[in-house]
Amino acid sequence: MPAFVYLASASPRRRELLRQIGVSCRRLSVAVDETPLAGESPPDCVARLALLKAQAGLRSLSRRPRHPVLGADTDAVLDELGYDAAAIAALRDEKAI
């Protein structure tokens, strides 16, 4: 049986990484508030959001899945401050960094 996961992430890059290692996936559309909590470090935020996405993905299925649900999140960090990748790209476009 080929490897398969439910992917609770909208990232095309994650789908590509799974494909590269021979894992098929079905993307689950999940809505999670990705606002960092006050004082939350980037690693803690990423771990919390990945868990929330996996839990939301699991709830979105009509029955208990036979395959794992993978929640994933990333953050880009600049000078020890957490920023999302889109914010860093915008700063680079403005030549601010």
Side-chain angles (χ1 to χ4, degrees):
M1 174 187 235
F4 178 87
V5 297
Y6 291 98
L7 179 60
S9 169
S11 168
R13 179 70 178 138
R14 282 192 237 314
R15 282 194 309 261
E16 174 60 21
L17 289 171
L18 289 170
R19 186 195 64 74
Q20 287 178 15
I21 62 170
V23 177
S24 300
C25 68
R26 177 179 148 212
R27 192 178 74 76
L28 302 174
S29 181
V30 297
V32 171
D33 179 1
E34 297 193 23
T35 306
L37 301 176
E40 185 174 42
S41 71
D44 289 343
C45 181
V46 166
R48 179 179 60 82
L49 293 176
L51 177 61
L52 287 174
K53 289 176 183 182
Q55 291 170 333
L58 183 60
R59 283 191 305 272
S60 75
L61 297 169
S62 60
R63 60 189 171 122
R64 185 180 172 118
R66 293 178 35 213
H67 302 284
V69 176
L70 174 63
D73 194 71
T74 56
D75 196 3
V77 177
L78 178 67
D79 294 332
E80 299 181 18
L81 300 173
Y83 292 93
D84 65 29
I88 290 178
L91 288 171
R92 282 198 177 113
D93 288 346
E94 293 176 14
K95 307 286 189 265
I97 58 173

